Amino acid sequence: MRDYVIALDPRIAPVIAQDWYKVHKLLSDQMGERVSDAGGAQETRWQFCVDPRSLIGDPSAPSRFIVVRATEAAAPSIERLAIASEDVHVPAQGDRVRFWLGGSAKVSASIDIPAARFAASASGMSFEEGCARVLLAKSGLSEPSFDGPVSSRRYDVWKDRRASRPIVKHGVFASGEADVSDLAALSVALASGVGRDRGFGFGVLILEPVGE
């Protein structure tokens, strides 16, 4: 897997930043279905997110940069559009890594956001940090230390322009360091994303070795 960074035209970036489902559609036209179902086994061919490294500290700012993570088979249709690319960093069990995460705060069967809300309230941390901790734990990362306050942003997504109102999505953005405590879970998170709303540009986990 490789991560490809795409720069949006600055004239349309503020508009696109409010409609990530449109990015999904544009990428689908370019790369085909995001998730394949060949042989009855689902495989995530590509995933995308607003580059969380460009939003940390100012989540309300429109981002010009999108990260597209693609398998080798899906890569040829996107690599010519990228301004940069790099291999996905896959650490070893027990490694300490730097992370960037833009995740959804939506409840799912495996991501217990209500528990995050309760734990945050009980411990005095923010709800956003509670969400980030749940998503990181689901990704096989433990003992996180955050660079600063975990931030959030509301997105109004117009999946159907004929609808009278948009679909509301909430994202949490975090960066810091954490330990790899479950390499199998981390491998799944890197390949498929973590949490809900992955088709809307959430759940991509970006890692680097500590010290780089």
Side-chain angles (χ1 to χ4, degrees), residues 8 10 12-20 49-66 151-155 171 173:
L8 298 174
I12 65 170
V15 177
I16 292 291
Q18 292 297 328
D19 200 346
W20 291 111
C49 65
V50 55
D51 191 338
R53 292 166 293 193
S54 65
L55 286 185
I56 298 300
D58 189 8
S60 64
S63 174
R64 284 190 58 212
F65 303 101
I66 297 172
S151 55
S152 64
R153 179 176 175 179
R154 168 179 167 150
Y155 293 87
F173 297 90

Side-chain angles (χ1 to χ4, degrees), residues 153-197:
R153 179 176 175 179
R154 168 179 167 150
Y155 293 87
D156 295 328
V157 181
W158 293 94
K159 186 174 181 180
D160 185 347
R161 288 295 176 182
R162 295 169 296 180
S164 60
R165 64 186 63 183
I167 302 170
V168 177
K169 303 293 182 184
H170 291 90
V172 293
F173 297 90
S175 66
E177 296 183 2
D179 295 329
V180 178
S181 55
D182 187 337
L183 186 57
L186 180 59
S187 297
V188 171
L190 291 174
S192 302
V194 59
R196 296 291 296 270
D197 295 327

